[in-house]
Amino acid sequence: KWKFRRARGILQFMNKMRINEIFYSLQGEGRYTGTPAVFIRMAGCNLRCPFCDTQHETFVEISEEEIVAEARKYPTRTVVITGGEPVLQLTPLLTDLLHKDGFAVHLETNGTLRLPDGVTMDWITCSPKEGAVLRLDAFDELKVVYYGQDMSPFDSLTAREYRLQPMDTGDPVANQKNQDATIDYILNHPKWTLSLQTHKILKLQ
């Protein structure tokens, strides 16, 4: 039985990885919405965003080999490494083992950390946070959580695809306001396309 503890700080030089959960579901956001995937959620983050809706602090410590063995139990060959902020713990060994097992490896990151040497990804979604310094050199998808903020800091960022996602505040009235503002912004700035959290709409994990 897994015993959970609370993650603290930036994780380095560990023989095992701190994993919050591993589960099988549909990708709910972005380019691969609707795609069956194994989600590997790593514990801990280097940011404290007020709108964060992910419980990622508890964890178990397991090895890269054990992570791949768990992912192998499911019929898909797509994994999404997410968090928290997964780059705090990401290792070349994990991505190499997943690729050798035939998985396409996707990453969801806030972009404040560079990928470790030797880590290879098939798709990177970067969701930068306002005020945080972006250090990731390259990514496939830029996804911004929108709540009416100044979008000019994102104008210079280059990606293959650009997504704007209404912020979920937990309040239906505020959410409707954010949704309307997001649609209006996209209509006036057609570089961006709409990303919805369909897993929440469908009540999926």
Side-chain angles (χ1 to χ4, degrees):
K1 184 178 179 180
W2 287 9
K3 294 181 180 179
F4 290 92
R5 288 176 281 177
R6 186 165 296 276
R8 295 179 180 177
I10 296 177
L11 310 173
Q12 296 178 326
F13 308 117
M14 297 182 61
N15 293 323
K16 293 194 174 184
M17 311 187 85
R18 295 185 176 185
I19 303 300
N20 173 262
E21 60 179 341
I22 299 174
F23 63 95
Y24 182 47
S25 188
L26 300 181
Q27 172 60 276
E29 304 173 0
R31 171 68 176 82
Y32 287 92
T33 294
T35 301
V38 178
F39 290 80
I40 301 168
R41 186 180 305 285
M42 296 188 174
C45 189
N46 60 334
L47 300 179
R48 292 294 180 267
C49 301
F51 56 80
C52 183
D53 58 3
T54 303
Q55 301 297 320
H56 57 77
E57 293 296 326
T58 55
F59 64 88
V60 294
E61 292 182 343
I62 57 177
S63 68
E64 288 95 335
E65 291 84 356
E66 290 170 316
I67 293 169
V68 176
E70 184 67 22
R72 194 183 295 128
K73 295 178 182 179
Y74 302 100
T76 188
R77 274 299 176 263
T78 298
V79 298
V80 179
I81 302 177
T82 186
E85 176 45 57
V87 181
L88 290 171
Q89 298 187 71
L90 202 56
T91 66
L93 178 59
L94 178 60
T95 55
D96 286 350
L97 289 174
L98 288 167
H99 280 129
K100 288 176 182 178
D101 218 78
F103 285 99
V105 185
H106 298 186
L107 175 68
E108 297 179 342
T109 175
N110 61 33
T112 58
L113 301 168
R114 297 181 187 275
L115 297 188
D117 291 342
V119 165
T120 57
M121 290 291 170
D122 298 288
W123 187 263
I124 299 176
T125 298
C126 177
S127 183
K129 304 303 185 284
E130 190 173 19
V133 177
L134 195 68
R135 291 189 171 88
L136 188 63
D137 295 324
F139 40 86
D140 300 287
E141 180 177 43
L142 178 65
K143 185 188 74 178
V144 175
V145 176
Y146 189 67
Y147 48 93
Q149 73 270 38
D150 177 18
M151 290 290 290
S152 60
F154 308 114
D155 289 343
S156 61
L157 301 181
T158 301
R160 294 169 61 182
E161 301 183 10
Y162 300 84
R163 312 282 182 201
L164 208 59
Q165 183 169 292
M167 184 176 73
D168 179 9
T169 67
D171 173 51
V173 174
N175 283 355
Q176 185 63 55
K177 181 180 179 181
N178 284 339
Q179 179 178 300
D180 293 343
T182 302
I183 292 171
D184 183 66
Y185 188 90
I186 292 170
L187 289 172
N188 286 285
H189 303 84
K191 176 178 83 170
W192 297 88
T193 59
L194 182 65
S195 176
L196 296 177
Q197 293 180 297
T198 60
H199 54 294
K200 291 185 177 180
I201 296 171
L202 298 172
K203 295 181 173 59
L204 299 175
Q205 185 174 5

